[in-house]
Each structure stands twice: as structure tokens, then as C-alpha cells.
Amino acid sequence: GQLVKRTRVKYLCSSCGNWINTEFCHTNTTSNFMCRMCFAKNKVVQFNESAFDIERDESMYWIGYIAGDGNVCSVPNAQRKISIKSNDMDILEKFSRFLSLERQMKKTRNLVWIHSDYIANQLEKYGITERKSLTLSPSTVASRSPHFWRGMIDSDGSVGLSSGRPYISLVSGSEDVIGKYLGFVFDKLGASPKPSEDQRTIAWSVRVSGKNAVKFASILYSGSTPETRLDRKYLSAKRMIDSGYGQ
């Protein structure tokens, strides 16, 4: 951020919501103004607000990851908050690099977040809204992308072996997500597993098993880069692919 001179105009502080009564205020690249106190407190975090402007492999992956285990919420007197929380520090570091986020992550809380109405609006185009757990509805573009589904599985799914049998599973509370995921699986494998419903958690689980899981792992992870995958699930998928199971 930089200190800029503004004369004869008052601005609302984007953090506390109070009027800035001085001719000086702080601004960031998105022209969101902050009073001196909030600027000093928050240190005006800089990040790339255009990260989701272009549909590319990397942005689709993070759209999927946020769809699975991220959060978009309103905050009083501030722009909407977009966050991801994970015990896997590597994924938090990758998300920070994707956003060109200057701030150090809060490692004690395993959380990375930003405030941006602009990015929240971009995410809405792909079906990600506030309180999305039961209402998430991926857009057509997202639901056709293996990078989107890899992001969802990395955040809200499992990749591994069960009694020596490979499997990939996805859990969601949204019927629309499950329906579009089954459509993607059928398009790639020519078969769709039957989803199971957990009445306690109000969620559905879809599991692809056996040789289909090996093929699906290749579809999801072979086109990934180190910046667009969760390391431990990628290694599980790679072991699955290299095993030659079902050949």
C-alpha cells in the first residue's frame, strides 16, 4: 500500500467502516481505502485479485479446492472473506503463491484468508457462494474440468487402498455436486458408481474402486503440476498408477 493525498473528499474505511476525516488515507491496488489505524493494524495485505479472471488449469484447481473445503463469508464492515483451512501446510503455501499473497500464513491456525468482494464475485460464477455446504452448484465449465475435481478430491475426498484395492472417493452435502461428479466419472470411465448417503452428516459419498480407480487417478493427477495438487494424495495416486493394478 502507499500513502496518497485525497483532498476535499471523504472515504469509508474498508476495514472498520468509519469515515476517514483526514485528507490522507491509505489505498491498495483495488482502491479500497483504510484509515491510518486500520492500515497499521492490518498492514494492508497485497494479493493478486485477478487470479481467477482467466479459466486455466491452476485457477480451476483452486476453485475446486475452495468448493470442497474453503469458505466464503460476509464480514461486518469489510469485504467478503475467502479462506481455506488445512493441516497440510504445503497446500496453504501453494494457495498463498497462487494469490501472490504477501502475508505470512497463520501456522498455528492452519489458515489462509483474504478479503475481496471481487474474488467472491468471480467464485460465484463457478457456483461457489456463502453457506455452500448444501447448495454448491458447480458451473458447466467447472464440472467438465479434471483440475476442478482434483481440487475437490484434494480438499474433500480420499485417495488410497482399502484391503489392497485402490479407491478414490468424494464426499459432498450437495446433491448437485454429486450428480455432476457422477456425470464426469461416466464421461471418463463409461460407468458410474452408486452414491451412498449418510443420514447423520447429510452428505453423499461416491467411491470409484479397482481398475477404474487406477484409470481415474491418471485422469485426475497425470495432468497436474506441483502447484496444483496436494502432495500426499498425489503420491497415493502415483503409487496406484505405478502398481499396474488390474492389468
Side-chain angles (χ1 to χ4, degrees), residues 28 52-53 56 71 93 98 111 134 136 153-154 183 201 212 218 229 233:
N28 59 19
F52 295 98
D53 284 2
R56 50 197 174 97
N71 184 45
E93 291 167 355
F98 170 69
L111 183 69
L134 303 178
L136 178 64
I153 289 169
D154 277 356
T201 59
N212 275 341
S218 181
R229 62 195 182 208
K233 289 186 181 179

Side-chain angles (χ1 to χ4, degrees), residues 179-196:
K180 289 176 178 175
Y181 180 63
L182 289 172
F184 179 80
V185 172
F186 183 82
D187 182 60
K188 300 300 180 183
L189 302 178
S192 286
K194 185 178 179 180
S196 59

Side-chain angles (χ1 to χ4, degrees), residues 146 149-162 165-171 181-182 184-185 189 192-195 205-222 233-234 236-241:
W149 292 116
R150 183 174 67 255
M152 283 212 68
I153 289 169
D154 277 356
S155 62
D156 224 7
S158 300
V159 180
L161 298 174
S162 178
R165 184 176 171 84
Y167 75 91
I168 297 176
S169 68
L170 177 68
V171 176
Y181 180 63
L182 289 172
F184 179 80
V185 172
L189 302 178
S192 286
K194 185 178 179 180
S205 175
V206 176
R207 174 177 286 207
V208 179
S209 304
K211 62 181 181 180
N212 275 341
V214 177
K215 182 179 178 181
F216 199 49
S218 181
I219 291 168
L220 291 175
Y221 287 93
S222 293
K233 289 186 181 179
Y234 167 73
S236 294
K238 189 175 185 301
R239 285 193 292 267
M240 190 186 299
I241 296 167

Side-chain angles (χ1 to χ4, degrees), residues 6-13 19-22 25 33:
R6 307 287 179 183
T7 58
R8 300 189 182 89
V9 180
K10 289 185 178 181
Y11 293 89
L12 277 175
C13 174
W19 285 103
I20 301 170
N21 293 316
T22 178
C25 58
F33 299 98

Side-chain angles (χ1 to χ4, degrees), residues 25-87:
C25 58
H26 289 276
T27 180
N28 59 19
T29 55
T30 56
S31 297
N32 296 316
F33 299 98
M34 299 181 77
C35 63
R36 291 175 186 269
M37 186 176 296
C38 288
F39 180 85
K41 180 180 178 181
N42 295 289
K43 297 181 180 178
V44 184
V45 177
Q46 299 288 342
F47 56 89
N48 178 18
E49 277 206 314
S50 63
F52 295 98
D53 284 2
I54 300 175
E55 293 168 4
R56 50 197 174 97
D57 297 351
E58 193 173 12
S59 60
M60 294 309 300
Y61 173 79
W62 289 113
I63 289 166
Y65 198 97
I66 294 169
D69 204 26
N71 184 45
V72 179
C73 64
S74 295
V75 179
N77 300 320
Q79 298 194 45
R80 279 169 289 176
K81 180 179 178 180
I82 300 100
S83 63
I84 64 170
K85 188 174 184 179
S86 176
N87 291 325

